[in-house]
Amino acid sequence: MKAIVTVIGKDQVGITAMVCALLAQHNINILDITQTVLQEYFTMVMLVDTAACPTSIGDMADILSKAGQEQGLSIRIQREDIFNAMHRI
Amino acid sequence: MLNQHEIMQTIRMIDQQHLDVRTITMGISLLSCAHSDIKVACDKVYDKITRSAENLVATGEAIEKEFGIPIVNKRISVTPIALVGAAADTDNYAPFAQAMDRAAKTCGVNFIGGFSALVQKGMTEADRILINSIPEALATTDIVCSSVNVGSTKAGIDMDAVALMGRTIKELAAATADRGGFGCAKLVVFCNAVEDNPFMAGAFHGVGEGERVINVGVSGPGVVYHALQSVKGQPFDVVAETVKKTAFRITRMGQLVAQEASRRLNVPFGIVDLSLAPTPAVGDSVARILEEMGLETCGIHGTTAALALLNDAVKKGGVMASSHVGGLSGAFIPVSEDEGMIAAASSGVLTLDKLEAMTCVCSVGLDMIAVPGDTTAQTISAIIADEAAIGMVNSKTTAVRIIPAPGCKVGDTVEFGGLLGSAPVMPVHAGSSADFIARGGRIPAPMQSLKN
């Protein structure tokens, strides 16, 4: 199943590394990444594949959100369907 | 593939613009629970509700997490209790409400609706017992909602029921006087009630529905408001297009959630209700959308036209986004539940008369309005009759949810808390409608041709 991971917050060293490591730990494959820093504001969007991930998306959402909070970041994982529904006919 | 802009737009809608699914409502038929012994009937009601909806809340929460979309309420609607209770040998249906309350709390839902009667053409003995039970039923329960349909375009208006509802609302206010007449916030009087409405207080599971059904109500006044900020000063064609596109996106999300809930619960999908339902939170107001169109305060001249455009554009945008649209579908204007409406009413700009005009062009009607505690039952009945007449003639749903707040005067504010918000007490006209209401009988159904 495909999902979208978004990371938003103040730019700092090691955000991408931290998120990627966490995803790898749970066997989540990254398919695509876009990332921008605008006025010290960091935004990263990843398309990921959770097919091999033993943890449910709901639990992953908690894990990522908690890891983000520790660094002052908003990190979430959402099923891709919600974005497709809203932006594609 | 999706681009970053689209993804961030959705995230902003959820984070900053209060985008949410307002409710997943499971409709449950209780027709099989009728029994001559009310104790047995109540046990059957409790068992059927708890059995049917045991996974509703957990499923809603799981969907919420996986999609990252807040689902604010999980609710249950049931068959109008007057139909279920008719077989019972009793003169008080309050025990049914208490069984519903217990069952809903066991399931963990926010509200349960359906302590209802449909009396647009006349009242059966069971209908009369149900209406007489409303004050006790709502005063002794916490999350049970009640509705009574007193008119329809095909049947006209049952003025005996209108008179009875005025008295019932007063009794209910008195029975819940310690909470500012809170019971009245859980009772709505309809004309042309719909059978698949997922929103409270008016939700019930109509007799034309199946055994169980999942209906979803979307929301998003904050998202529409934000979208309109980007088209300041532009013609109404642009305003309408902007609202339509926004409504489309919101509804697609609702449709996805509805289908997912339906699949996981193995309950048929009913409808998506395309409503703009405000909350008392700043930035989630329908009144502020109207003001964004160029009105200084909601309630001044131009408000009705602005609301007509908004209501129509929401429907046009939403219809294509969902396979089945139903319920009330339109903009809601509940005064106490909308931060902008509260401000406009408190300043005296938004009056009952203007609200009545607004209900001609939007979904539902006079909603969550507090009036002085000394307002007579006949005046409340007359307000209901006016609103029902608008619904009857215009072939639309209208409703009255009015709170004659005990001991309160114009200028006071009644606090309900939570999504129900706070209601500034609004003035009503002083003259008496007592002789009008005392007539009783029926107002005949209107012409459906020669429309002018």
Side-chain angles (χ1 to χ4, degrees), chain A residues 62 76 79 85 87-88, chain B residues 6 10 15 65-67 252:
Chain A
D62 285 340
R76 53 178 106 205
R79 276 174 56 178
H87 300 285
R88 294 287 178 274
Chain B
E6 290 168 335
T10 299
D15 264 3
K65 245 185 191 172
E66 282 181 29
F67 290 105
R252 287 274 285 195

Side-chain angles (χ1 to χ4, degrees), chain A residues 43-87:
Chain A
T43 306
M44 180 163 70
V45 176
M46 293 172 160
L47 175 67
V48 300
D49 185 350
T50 62
C53 173
T55 317
S56 74
I57 287 206
D59 290 343
M60 272 317 295
D62 285 340
I63 293 167
L64 287 168
S65 164
K66 192 161 165 284
Q69 271 166 19
E70 287 164 8
Q71 314 226 13
L73 299 165
S74 158
I75 309 182
R76 53 178 106 205
I77 184 165
Q78 293 161 276
R79 276 174 56 178
E80 190 196 22
D81 318 23
I82 195 86
F83 301 98
N84 281 331
M86 287 180 85
H87 300 285

Side-chain angles (χ1 to χ4, degrees), chain B residues 24 29 45 90 93 142 145 156 178 229 260 266 288 307 347-348 390:
Chain B
I24 297 182
S29 170
V45 164
T90 177
Y93 290 165
D142 297 313
C145 291
D178 54 330
Q229 281 184 318
E260 193 69 21
N266 196 23
R288 299 296 185 204
L307 183 58
S347 67
I390 290 172

Side-chain angles (χ1 to χ4, degrees), chain B residues 30 45 78-86 93 96-97 100 113-117 126 130:
Chain B
L30 295 185
V45 164
V78 299
T79 308
I81 290 296
L83 300 175
V84 183
Y93 290 165
F96 281 109
M100 287 162 68
F115 195 78
S116 305
L130 182 120

